[in-house]
Amino acid sequence: MNTSAVSTGAGVTVRVPAKVNVQLAVGAARPDGFHDLANVFLAVSLFDEVTAAPADSLTVGCTGPDADQVPLDRTNLAARAAEILAARHGISPSVHLHIAKNIPVAGGMAGGSADGAAALVACDALWGLNTPRAELLDICAELGSDVPFSLVGGAALGTGRGELLTPVEAGTFHWVFAVADGGLSTPAVFREFDRLAEGREIPEPVASPALLAALASGDPDALAGALSNDLQPAALSLRPSLAATLGAGVDAGALAALVSGSGPTTAFLVRDPES
Ligand code: C5P
């Protein structure tokens, strides 16, 4: 699942995947407020599409089931991506960005990050800039910790605050996602992680060799035994009803259940498409 661009007369459309974190190991809070992570991202076949079309000024539109929850001002990561790219090249960000939204908003599946990465690639193509990939990744890291992964897709280990990526091997897996009513704020979930961790020694986050081997093997039973998310207790603390959702998925036959990223979307690993 990679980010890809298609150009038409009306503009440039980029399709970008959502992600699930198959391991999210969280370290202690850093002096800059972020947390060091060992964050194993896996792109999934749930996509947003961002179309960049010529316009007199920077505007954002959005359609899709959650469209009413998407900010259409300069706080939208797609708009910020266009602004940063234009500023670096000394041009004006005259573009209309249309987001066809399928990824849950504030759901822990990097939907906002996906739109930021997609807008960056779409504007780069529309404006004919050919920005080197390393610079695009740099802009992505400026936009947010999960945005570089949205540019790269596939499967990757994110270290630092999640923005330093190393590709990892992954087989094909099948997931069911349960979307919650209302989002969870990522900073609030990290704050709750800190509160729950008070007085405890937090180990350095490291990628689990068993998880990486299971991911590469394509064996769903092995992956089911190796999934982990250190943010899950914090997400459950802020949204206790998620415990029942996780339990319902396991009762229905899922091999494993976990909160996706900072939640509240829950992810269920299943054996095959029929399940
Ligand atoms: O990087 P991003 O803008 O997505 O981060 C949103 C917030 O999530 C940060 O302001 C911070 O509170 C929290 N965060 C963190 N450690 C990370 C990533 C995010 O504490 N590695």
Side-chain angles (χ1 to χ4, degrees), residues 33-35 37 143-146 160-162 186-187 190:
F34 285 91
H35 297 70
L37 305 178
L143 288 167
S145 306
D146 286 352
R161 60 186 166 84
T186 301
F190 274 102

Side-chain angles (χ1 to χ4, degrees), residues 59-243:
T59 52
V60 181
C62 184
T63 49
D66 284 353
D68 58 327
Q69 297 166 50
V70 175
L72 301 180
D73 60 14
R74 302 291 171 100
T75 62
N76 190 300
L77 283 184
R80 289 200 44 222
E83 279 185 326
I84 294 174
L85 182 68
R88 287 205 181 200
H89 289 271
I91 59 176
S92 100
S94 305
V95 65
H96 178 69
L97 297 169
H98 180 79
I99 303 169
K101 191 135 207 59
N102 288 305
I103 305 174
V105 175
M109 297 189 79
S113 299
D115 300 342
L120 191 62
V121 172
C123 290
D124 191 60
L126 181 70
W127 297 333
L129 300 175
N130 290 313
T131 308
R133 193 167 176 81
E135 193 180 341
L136 291 177
L137 281 168
D138 199 44
I139 297 173
C140 286
E142 190 178 336
L143 288 167
S145 306
D146 286 352
V147 184
F149 176 72
S150 294
L151 188 83
V152 168
L157 166 65
T159 55
R161 60 186 166 84
E163 87 284 23
L164 306 172
L165 297 175
T166 308
V168 298
E169 206 185 323
T172 299
F173 295 96
H174 301 280
W175 299 89
V176 174
F177 292 96
V179 180
D181 284 333
L184 269 179
S185 144
T186 301
V189 174
F190 274 102
R191 275 197 303 276
E192 184 67 1
F193 172 89
D194 291 338
R195 194 186 68 80
L196 296 174
E198 244 162 28
R200 258 197 311 124
E201 188 68 27
I202 314 250
E204 284 289 307
V206 284
S208 151
L211 178 280
L212 293 175
L215 192 61
S217 75
D219 174 356
D221 291 298
L223 186 63
L227 294 170
S228 70
N229 179 0
D230 287 355
L231 289 181
Q232 182 160 312
L236 288 175
S237 170
L238 296 177
R239 191 71 66 82
S241 61
L242 292 180

Side-chain angles (χ1 to χ4, degrees), residues 173-176 220 249 252-256 268-275:
F173 295 96
H174 301 280
W175 299 89
V176 174
L255 300 175
F268 303 91
L269 181 63
V270 296
R271 189 171 303 286
D272 48 36
E274 291 69 46
S275 343

